[in-house]
Amino acid sequence: SQQGEEDPQALSIQEGENATMNCSYKTSINNLQWYRQNSGRGLVHLILIRSNEREKHSGRLRVTLDTSKKSSSLLITASRAADTASYFCATDAGIQGAQKLVFGQGTRLTINP
Amino acid sequence: GAGVSQSPRYKVTKRGQDVALRCDPISGHVSLYWYRQALGQGPEFLTYFNYEAQQDKSGLPNDRFSAERPEGSISTLTIQRTEQRDSAMYRCASRPGDRGSGGELFFGEGSRLTVL
C-alpha cells in the first residue's frame, strides 16, 4: 500500500516560475525523501529530510517537513524545462528496524517554455 | 559496477511461464530493494534484503512471487506461472547501509515485463 500521497497529481507551469508539490503521509517516520523520475527512467534521489528537521535546502530545491501535520512540501524555484518529470515522496515505516521506503503516487510536473 | 544493473531490460513472456529478473546492486551496498511500478503510478514496495537476509517480504502480491539474494550481492526476483496482471516495470534499488543509516536509494533502469 502507498503511504505518501502527493498533491497535486499534475502541475503545469511556465519556465521561471516556482513549483510546489505536497506530500502527506500516515504513520510516524524517521525521514522523508524526494525523488525525481524522467520519462519512465530510474528514480533519482533529490533530498532527504529527517524527522527532527523542519526545512532543508539544496540548490533550487527547498523541502519542508511538518511532523505534526504529517506533511512535506517540495519547492523548486526558478523552474527550467529540464525539471519536467514526475516527483515522488518516500517515507520509511518509522518502526524500529523497519527500513522499507514507501512511495507516493507522484506529481507530474510540466515546465512550459 | 558503477550503478545498479538490471536484466533483462525487457521481457515478453506467455501467460503461465516463469520469469526471473536479475539485479546487480552497487558493489558493497548492504541493502537491496525490489519495487513494482505501473504506468503513471509510484513504485510499489515488494521486498528488501540486508546482506543475504530477506528482511521484509510483505509487499509480494502472492506466493507466485519470490526473491533471493544468496550471497548478499546479486538478487533474483522470480515470478512463477505469470499472469497478465503481472505486467509492469520491476525496479531494483540498493543503498550502502543497513539499520539506522537511512539514506538514499540508488535505482536501476528497471526490467519491463509484458505477459501476453
Side-chain angles (χ1 to χ4, degrees):
Chain A
S1 64
Q2 307 295 134
Q3 148 126 284
E5 294 292 335
E6 283 92 342
D7 168 55
Q9 291 188 345
L11 178 62
S12 181
I13 62 174
Q14 294 300 120
E15 193 168 19
E17 295 180 339
N18 297 339
T20 299
M21 290 159 273
N22 303 295
C23 168
S24 59
Y25 56 93
K26 299 174 184 176
T27 63
S28 61
I29 61 171
N30 292 323
N31 64 66
L32 185 146
Q33 303 180 36
W34 285 90
Y35 287 79
R36 182 185 71 216
Q37 184 175 40
N38 292 87
S39 302
R41 303 287 303 275
L43 284 81
V44 175
H45 179 264
L46 294 176
I47 195 166
L48 179 153
I49 186 166
R50 301 196 182 280
S51 61
N52 61 354
E53 297 176 313
R54 292 296 168 258
E55 187 171 314
K56 201 164 184 179
H57 297 256
S58 177
R60 294 184 296 112
L61 305 181
R62 172 178 170 256
V63 170
T64 62
L65 179 64
D66 187 334
T67 53
S68 66
K69 295 181 179 178
K70 292 187 169 58
S71 67
S72 173
S73 67
L74 171 67
L75 168 68
I76 304 175
T77 61
S79 63
R80 305 168 182 170
D83 295 330
T84 295
S86 291
Y87 292 81
F88 298 91
C89 66
T91 57
D92 66 18
I95 300 171
Q96 185 177 8
Q99 305 161 58
K100 69 181 186 183
L101 281 187
V102 179
F103 286 79
Q105 297 295 344
T107 293
R108 293 185 304 279
L109 175 65
T110 302
I111 308 299
N112 302 303
Chain B
V4 177
S5 177
Q6 292 187 247
S7 61
R9 290 291 309 279
Y10 303 92
K11 176 69 176 180
V12 179
T13 190
K14 292 183 179 180
R15 187 177 54 189
Q17 297 295 305
D18 297 350
V19 297
L21 307 177
R22 171 186 165 124
C23 174
D24 193 350
I26 294 173
S27 178
H29 277 196
V30 169
S31 300
L32 183 148
Y33 295 73
W34 284 100
Y35 289 86
R36 178 170 68 175
Q37 188 175 23
L39 194 62
Q41 302 293 313
E44 175 191 14
F45 171 81
L46 296 178
T47 185
Y48 86 93
F49 295 81
N50 282 340
Y51 301 101
E52 73 282 358
Q54 191 170 21
Q55 299 291 327
D56 186 327
K57 57 181 181 179
S58 62
L60 295 177
N62 50 61
D63 60 8
R64 295 186 296 106
F65 287 72
S66 63
E68 63 174 9
R69 193 187 186 198
E71 297 179 357
S73 178
I74 293 170
S75 176
T76 302
L77 176 69
T78 301
I79 308 172
Q80 296 178 312
R81 305 180 302 282
T82 52
E83 301 177 4
Q84 287 185 329
R85 59 177 172 161
D86 299 334
S87 296
M89 178 71 82
Y90 289 82
R91 298 196 183 275
C92 176
S94 68
R95 67 179 174 188
D98 57 358
R99 175 186 225 153
S101 64
E104 67 179 281
L105 291 182
F106 294 81
F107 279 85
E109 290 295 320
S111 292
R112 179 167 293 285
L113 174 65
T114 302
V115 182
L116 303 177

